[in-house]
Amino acid sequence: YEFAGRRLLDALIDLPFALPTAVSGIALVTVFSSSGLIGGWLEARGIQVAYTWVGVTVALTLIGIPFVVRTLQPAILALDPALEEAATSLGANRWQTFRRVILPAILPALLTGSTLAFARALGEYGSVIFIAGNLPLKTEIMPLLIIIKLEQFDYVGAAILGFLMLAISFLMLLIINLLQAWQRRRTGMVN
């Protein structure tokens, strides 16, 4: 839909692509720490974000949103409005129309975007390192563990962790390719 501020919203969605990840991590800590604008308000209500898994989730969501939105956008634009109108004329409510008409049409794109976001999150370092706080066995992330192994001259341990990340990344790329092939078959677009 066209609405006032749409271009600003588009720019905000793309911001994680352009913003250095360390800058976004520092910004998240500034906003979500106990002395931050949102963090102070949340902590007064018993919710701590900075230096918890919640903060890690917020950071990874921030860097993953553009992948999901930009993958879903073309699928949503390709939807024929007549399908929704037909469902409504047949008595379907909004939820039924979404569940039976819209969701099946956008599901491959949604899964692809989510998988891309997850694959990106696997190796994320800059935005997560600051808000995670690197608490042992609580908020450590794999890239940090690799760096720790390297600093301890444990090259075998670092290589094993690196290989594990490589294997998971390869699996994510395979899943993305399978999802895209599924989407092409569903929409009739065959290469």
Side-chain angles (χ1 to χ4, degrees):
Y1 296 107
E2 291 295 329
F3 56 89
R6 181 174 179 204
R7 288 180 187 240
L8 177 64
L9 182 61
D10 267 350
L12 287 174
I13 289 169
D14 290 335
L15 187 62
F17 283 146
L19 195 65
T21 57
V23 172
S24 63
I26 292 168
L28 287 170
V29 170
T30 303
V31 171
F32 287 107
S33 69
S34 57
S35 60
L37 182 66
I38 298 173
W41 184 83
L42 288 172
E43 283 195 22
R45 284 148 185 80
I47 303 170
Q48 183 180 359
V49 176
Y51 316 120
T52 66
W53 66 269
V54 177
V56 174
T57 304
V58 168
L60 296 179
T61 300
L62 175 76
I63 62 110
I65 282 177
F67 291 96
V68 176
V69 170
R70 295 304 175 220
T71 306
L72 264 177
Q73 201 169 23
I76 292 171
L77 289 173
L79 282 175
D80 185 0
L83 295 174
E84 289 180 68
E85 293 167 5
T88 304
S89 71
L90 292 171
N93 62 31
R94 285 180 174 254
W95 170 247
Q96 290 169 326
T97 301
F98 175 76
R99 189 170 48 94
R100 294 182 182 210
V101 176
I102 297 171
L103 185 60
I106 66 169
L107 185 62
L110 177 64
L111 292 174
T112 300
S114 299
T115 306
L116 280 168
F118 180 74
R120 172 69 177 93
L122 280 177
E124 181 58 29
Y125 183 78
S127 65
V128 178
I129 199 74
F130 295 102
I131 197 150
N134 313 317
L135 303 174
L137 302 176
K138 290 187 178 186
T139 60
E140 288 178 313
I141 57 174
M142 187 79 76
L144 173 66
L145 294 176
I146 292 172
I147 290 173
I148 290 170
K149 294 285 185 192
L150 290 172
E151 288 174 347
Q152 296 171 345
F153 302 104
D154 181 3
Y155 300 119
V156 173
I160 290 170
L161 292 175
F163 178 77
L164 181 62
M165 286 185 69
L166 177 66
I168 293 170
S169 296
F170 178 76
L171 180 64
M172 291 293 104
L173 287 173
L174 178 65
I175 291 170
I176 289 167
N177 284 322
L178 292 172
L179 288 169
Q180 288 175 338
W182 178 42
Q183 183 176 16
R184 283 191 299 271
R185 281 193 308 275
R186 285 180 50 90
T187 59
M189 296 173 19
V190 181
N191 285 348

